[in-house]
Amino acid sequence: MFRFRFEQILNVRKLAEEQVMQEFSEQMRGLEREKEHLRSIRGEKAGVLAELMRRQAGNLNAAEIGLTFGYIKSLREREVAQVVLVSDGEKALEAKREELLEAVKRRKIMEILRHKKLAQYWKEWNHRESVELNEQGIIRFLKRSGDEKTDLNL
C-alpha cells in the first residue's frame, strides 16, 4: 500500500494555497469596489461640470458659480484620494498575486514529488510481482521435471 511520507506537508500547503486564494479574492473584490467608487466620483464630477456648462447659457450669479466650483474642487480632491486608494489596492493585489503564485508553486512541487514516489512505488511493485511470478514458474517447471524423471525411473 502506497503511503506518501510528506502527505501532511502536502495537505498543509494545499490549505495555505486555499487561504491565500481566499485573501486574493477578497482583495480583488475590495479593489473592484474602490474602482467603482472612483468611477462614481468621476461620473458625479462630469455631471456637475455638464450641468454648469448647461446653466452657463442662462443667468448665473457669482454665488452659484462659487459654490459649484467649490463642490468641483472637493470632488477633485476626493478623486485624487480615491486614485491613491486604487493604486495602493492594485499594488497590494499584485503582492497577493505573487504570494498566491508562490503557494501554488510550493504545492505543485509536493504533488510532483508525490507523483514520482507513486510511480517509483508501482515500478518496484511490478518488479517484485514479476520476480515472484518467475519464481513460481520455475518451481512449477522443476516440479514437472522432477515428476517426469520419477516416471522415467519406473
Side-chain angles (χ1 to χ4, degrees):
M1 173 91 182
F2 176 72
R3 180 166 141 55
F4 183 51
R5 284 189 319 171
F6 303 113
E7 193 70 37
Q8 289 181 339
I9 294 172
L10 176 60
N11 291 337
V12 166
R13 289 188 178 177
K14 283 180 182 179
L15 289 174
E17 179 185 349
E18 289 173 11
Q19 177 68 32
V20 173
M21 192 175 296
Q22 177 94 19
E23 292 169 1
F24 178 77
S25 296
E26 289 172 9
Q27 280 190 339
M28 186 178 285
R29 284 190 298 274
L31 179 59
E32 284 305 313
R33 281 191 302 272
E34 295 299 334
K35 286 180 176 181
E36 181 58 37
H37 187 63
L38 178 60
R39 284 190 289 273
S40 170
I41 291 171
R42 287 179 173 164
E44 188 176 349
K45 184 177 81 172
V48 169
L49 285 172
E51 179 66 21
L52 180 63
M53 298 302 259
R54 187 185 64 76
R55 292 180 62 197
Q56 215 172 21
N59 291 346
L60 283 178
N61 62 33
E64 287 178 0
I65 294 173
L67 285 173
T68 303
F69 276 116
Y71 185 58
I72 291 172
K73 182 181 176 189
S74 75
L75 285 174
R76 282 186 184 150
E77 290 169 355
R78 285 176 43 201
E79 180 183 17
V80 168
Q82 194 63 30
V83 166
V84 169
L85 281 175
V86 168
S87 176
D88 291 346
E90 287 173 341
K91 289 175 188 172
L93 186 64
E94 188 58 35
K96 191 56 76 171
R97 179 179 285 118
E98 292 296 324
E99 187 180 342
L100 178 59
L101 290 174
E102 187 62 32
V104 168
K105 193 183 306 180
R106 291 171 51 96
R107 176 194 46 87
K108 283 188 176 185
I109 288 170
M110 294 305 292
E111 285 181 346
I112 289 169
L113 179 61
R114 184 181 193 284
H115 178 73
K116 285 181 179 180
K117 292 293 184 180
L118 182 60
Q120 180 183 358
Y121 168 81
W122 282 114
K123 183 179 178 183
E124 290 171 1
W125 186 86
N126 286 331
H127 178 71
R128 284 192 307 270
E129 188 75 17
S130 176
V131 167
E132 187 176 319
L133 289 173
N134 286 340
E135 288 175 356
Q136 289 175 0
I138 291 171
I139 291 170
R140 277 192 220 118
F141 175 77
L142 291 176
K143 281 185 180 181
R144 283 188 206 141
S145 295
D147 289 345
E148 289 176 6
K149 286 183 184 178
T150 56
D151 286 344
L152 292 175
N153 289 338
L154 290 175

